[in-house]
């Protein structure tokens, strides 16, 4: 985790696409620039660079592995758009045999994605984030098909869209199914930005009133929860470009500043300033510091940020 924290750069990521395509990208990884000079009678063509790249990767995989040609064809190559492919992929995962058919779930997902185009834009940014930040992700199509963190996040985006439309029952259904299938439990009301990487993702829990800014990374077994003492607005507010390490818990209506880093296993109960690193304090360290073992630099750093969190050292 230390290496991960030290190398983390909270700056907005670029999409890892060919340079001749990258120059056309807008921040949400799509472009409305025309690809050629249209005739006066024709509207400009819209290029979906993430989807075209994902399709090309799927085609290459299908050629390399003939056994998987039908799999890639059914889930990617036969689909007209990323939203259509995503609805089909999630429906195959989240349907309930004998109770809720794959077609019914696909129609629910497709309708929500069509009504909320911002969810599709966020999914594209999420794919680019995985490609850019996860060294294990060679292709966006692998993230799309095989990374449960990505799929769980997209299930949440649809559930959030339904929740926002007042359709709370199907939103809760999707939350429940995503929790069962992917091991990721995100309340439909939670607000999550774009360009998010849920790395490994097993055991991630995000509460109802939580807010997560864009361009962040959350590792497995992270909890953004309440303390159990409050009602109403009771969950964390996480800024942009934040890294939260494996097993960390951020509890209560606290603010995690932009570009902050939360170390593995930390339990955060108070605000963390912008650009600050909060790491778990080892047992007995507080006693040593009270006895004067802490260095002047450590004390100055904590005093500078005004952070008085039991169990944490904070530094830039």
């Amino acid at each position: 985790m230390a290496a991960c924290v030290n190398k983390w750069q909270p700056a907005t990521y670029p999409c890892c696409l060919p340079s001749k395509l990258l120059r056309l990208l807008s921040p949400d990884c799509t472009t409305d620039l025309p690809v050629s000079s249209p005739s006066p009678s024709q509207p400009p063509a819209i290029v979906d660079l993430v989807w075209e790249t994902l399709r090309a990767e799927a085609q290459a995989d299908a050629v390399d592995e003939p056994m998987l040609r039908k799999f890639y064809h059914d889930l990617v190559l036969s689909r007209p758009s990323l939203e259509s492919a995503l609805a089909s992929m999630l429906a195959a995962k989240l349907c309930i045999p004998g109770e809720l058919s794959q077609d019914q779930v696909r129609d629910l997902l497709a309708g929500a994605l069509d009504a909320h185009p911002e969810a599709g834009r966020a999914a594209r940014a999420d794919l680019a984030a995985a490609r850019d930040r996860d060294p294990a992700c060679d292709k966006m199509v692998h993230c799309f098909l095989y990374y449960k963190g990505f799929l769980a996040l997209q299930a949440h985006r649809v559930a959030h869209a339904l929740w926002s439309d007042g359709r709370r029952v199907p939103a809760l259904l999707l939350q429940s199914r995503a929790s069962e299938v992917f091991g990721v439990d995100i309340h439909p009301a939670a607000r999550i930005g774009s360009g998010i990487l849920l790395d490994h993702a097993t055991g991630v829990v995000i509460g109802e009133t939580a807010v997560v800014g864009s361009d962040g990374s959350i590792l497995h077994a992270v909890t953004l929860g309440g303390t159990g003492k409050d009602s109403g607005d009771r969950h964390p507010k996480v800024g942009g470009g934040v890294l939260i390490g494996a097993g960390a818990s951020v509890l209560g209506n606290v603010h995690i500043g932009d570009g902050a880093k939360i170390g593995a296993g930390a339990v955060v109960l108070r605000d963390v300033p912008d650009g600050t690193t909060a790491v778990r304090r080892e047992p007995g360290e507080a006693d040593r510091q009270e006895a004067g073992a802490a260095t002047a630099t450590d004390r100055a750093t904590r005093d500078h940020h005004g952070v008085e969190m039991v169990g944490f050292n904070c530094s830039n």
Side-chain angles (χ1 to χ4, degrees):
M1 183 62 214
C4 187
V5 168
N6 290 338
K7 294 180 180 178
W8 174 245
Q9 297 295 328
T12 302
Y13 60 87
C15 298
C16 284
L17 297 171
S19 58
K20 65 181 180 180
L21 300 180
L22 180 60
R23 62 187 176 84
L24 297 176
L25 288 176
S26 66
D28 62 7
C29 299
T30 60
T31 179
D32 56 6
L33 297 179
V35 293
S36 59
S37 299
S39 66
S41 61
Q42 294 179 334
I46 303 301
V47 179
D48 186 342
L49 298 176
V50 170
W51 175 237
E52 292 303 320
T53 300
L54 192 147
R55 281 179 53 85
E57 293 171 347
Q59 185 65 57
D61 279 2
V63 171
D64 291 341
E65 294 290 344
M67 178 185 72
L68 296 178
R69 282 178 182 171
K70 185 177 187 303
F71 175 72
Y72 275 88
H73 177 269
D74 291 348
L75 291 177
V76 179
L77 297 174
S78 65
R79 303 297 169 182
S81 66
L82 178 65
E83 287 78 2
S84 173
L86 190 57
S88 296
M89 182 66 181
L90 288 174
K93 298 282 188 180
L94 302 179
C95 65
I96 306 174
E99 299 292 338
L100 190 62
S101 73
Q102 187 170 329
D103 288 344
Q104 288 175 306
V105 179
R106 183 175 60 247
D107 290 345
L108 175 68
L109 297 166
L113 289 169
D114 183 62
H116 291 267
E118 71 277 6
R121 291 192 294 268
R124 288 165 174 82
D126 297 339
L127 285 167
R131 171 78 175 268
D132 290 346
R133 290 188 229 139
D134 186 350
C137 184
D138 295 329
K139 298 179 179 181
M140 285 190 289
V141 72
H142 295 168
C143 175
F144 178 83
L145 292 174
Y146 307 129
Y147 285 29
K148 68 176 185 178
F150 170 79
L151 294 172
L153 182 55
Q154 306 323 308
H156 164 73
R157 295 199 187 283
V158 175
H160 182 73
L162 293 169
W163 186 274
S164 301
D165 289 342
R167 302 184 64 188
R168 296 194 170 191
V169 173
L172 291 170
L173 170 66
L174 290 181
Q175 176 198 5
S176 175
R177 288 297 294 151
S179 179
E180 293 171 5
V181 173
F182 303 123
V184 176
D185 193 359
I186 308 176
H187 193 281
R191 292 178 287 160
I192 299 180
S194 61
I196 301 297
L197 172 63
L198 293 187
D199 197 6
H200 300 290
T202 300
V204 167
V205 176
I206 301 178
E208 177 184 10
T209 60
V211 177
V212 179
S214 296
D215 304 322
S217 295
I218 298 175
L219 278 72
H220 51 283
V222 164
T223 297
L224 303 181
T227 62
K229 300 178 181 179
D230 300 309
S231 59
D233 192 359
R234 62 198 182 279
H235 295 111
K237 309 300 180 282
V238 179
V242 171
L243 170 66
I244 305 180
S249 295
V250 185
L251 305 178
N253 189 10
V254 299
H255 180 261
I256 308 301
D258 293 344
K261 294 168 280 188
I262 308 300
V267 180
V268 178
L269 302 175
R270 300 188 184 182
D271 292 352
V272 176
D274 293 357
T276 296
T277 299
V279 298
R280 181 177 180 178
R281 180 179 295 165
E282 295 301 322
E285 185 174 345
D287 295 336
R288 292 194 298 273
Q289 290 177 353
E290 289 175 3
T295 67
T297 300
D298 289 337
R299 290 194 296 272
T301 300
R302 288 194 299 276
D303 293 342
H304 172 72
H305 290 297
V307 177
E308 299 176 357
M309 297 183 291
V310 175
F312 292 87
N313 293 325
C314 292
S315 61
N316 281 330

